[in-house]
């Protein structure tokens, strides 16, 4: 999700930059008495003079701008996945915080699941309160989902995250033909 936010922020920044440059060029052209480059100033100016706050088009634009602004604000304020997960201090001196990177925890869980018999692929996604493990098995026999869940629980216990991360296991199966 972080990559998506970066792409959206970059695209929005470029749109705003190009729009600002276009407005600046149009203002300079208007001050010099030259014809507009892109924006038909005369038609737009006449249309704007005819509008009031009660005009449906004006209200629709205001609602649209408000909704887009609120969506951007919510997206900016929404907390993303943590970069590090706090681990129990254990034997660490008082005042020392111990943490592991989210990606390291995800890799560790995926490795533990791949060690389960019958599992051919695994991936883990850790958030603030939950970890989702996606596992693919070649067979349904031998209860692979139960064994995967046990492997996840055991790895979370060994990392000291059993109480702070709620595990969710999603299994998919590839039947051999």
């Amino acid at each position: 999700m972080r990559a998506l936010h970066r792409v959206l922020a970059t695209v929005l920044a470029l749109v705003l930059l190009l729009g600002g440059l276009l407005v600046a060029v149009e203002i300079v052209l208007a001050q010099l008495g030259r014809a507009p480059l892109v924006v038909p100033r005369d038609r737009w100016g006449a249309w704007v003079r005819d509008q009031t706050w009660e005009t449906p088009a004006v209200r629709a634009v205001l609602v649209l701008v408000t909704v887009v602004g609120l969506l951007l604000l919510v997206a900016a304020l929404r907390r993303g996945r943590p970069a590090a997960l706090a681990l129990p201090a254990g034997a660490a001196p008082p005042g020392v915080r111990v943490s592991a990177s989210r990606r390291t925890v995800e890799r560790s869980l995926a490795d533990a699941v791949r060690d389960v018999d019958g599992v051919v692929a695994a991936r883990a996604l850790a958030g603030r309160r939950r970890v989702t493990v996606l596992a693919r098995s070649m067979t349904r026999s031998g209860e692979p989902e139960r064994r995967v869940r046990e492997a996840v629980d055991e790895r979370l216990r060994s990392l000291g995250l059993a109480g702070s991360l709620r595990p969710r296991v999603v299994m998919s199966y590839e039947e051999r033909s």
Side-chain angles (χ1 to χ4, degrees):
M1 193 62 136
R2 195 173 286 168
L4 176 65
H5 285 182
R6 285 183 180 154
V7 170
L8 288 176
T10 303
V11 168
L12 183 61
L14 286 173
V15 166
L16 291 173
L17 174 69
L18 293 176
L21 288 174
L22 177 65
V23 167
V25 168
E26 292 290 347
I27 289 171
V28 169
L29 288 176
Q31 291 298 318
L32 295 175
R34 300 226 175 129
L37 185 66
V38 176
V39 179
R41 289 188 302 266
D42 297 335
R43 276 190 291 155
W44 284 22
W47 183 83
V48 168
R49 280 189 294 277
D50 295 340
Q51 304 308 308
T52 65
W53 290 111
E54 288 78 26
T55 307
V58 171
R59 290 192 177 207
V61 168
L62 291 174
V63 167
L64 178 69
V65 167
T66 302
V67 168
V68 169
L70 288 173
L71 288 175
L72 289 172
L73 184 63
V74 167
L77 295 177
R78 185 176 164 271
R79 287 171 49 170
R81 293 191 305 166
L85 299 170
L87 299 175
V96 174
R97 291 185 52 196
V98 181
S99 65
S101 76
R102 178 184 47 80
R103 288 185 179 173
T104 301
V105 171
E106 290 172 345
R107 251 184 260 125
S108 177
L109 288 166
D111 290 344
V113 170
R114 278 190 217 100
D115 290 342
V116 173
D117 287 338
V119 173
V120 293
R123 184 172 172 219
L125 302 167
R128 293 191 184 284
R129 293 178 196 92
R130 180 174 45 194
V131 63
T132 301
V133 176
L134 309 167
R136 192 169 63 233
S137 176
M138 294 300 281
T139 180
R140 291 179 189 264
S141 64
E143 299 180 25
E145 187 169 351
R146 180 186 56 77
R147 291 181 306 180
V148 166
R149 196 171 301 279
E150 288 172 357
V152 169
D153 289 341
E154 176 56 36
R155 184 58 55 100
L156 286 174
R157 250 189 316 280
S158 71
L159 293 171
L161 293 170
S164 59
L165 284 179
R166 194 174 62 235
R168 177 175 167 246
V169 174
V170 178
M171 292 291 298
S172 63
Y173 300 94
E174 285 185 9
E175 299 295 330
R176 291 186 178 159
S177 30

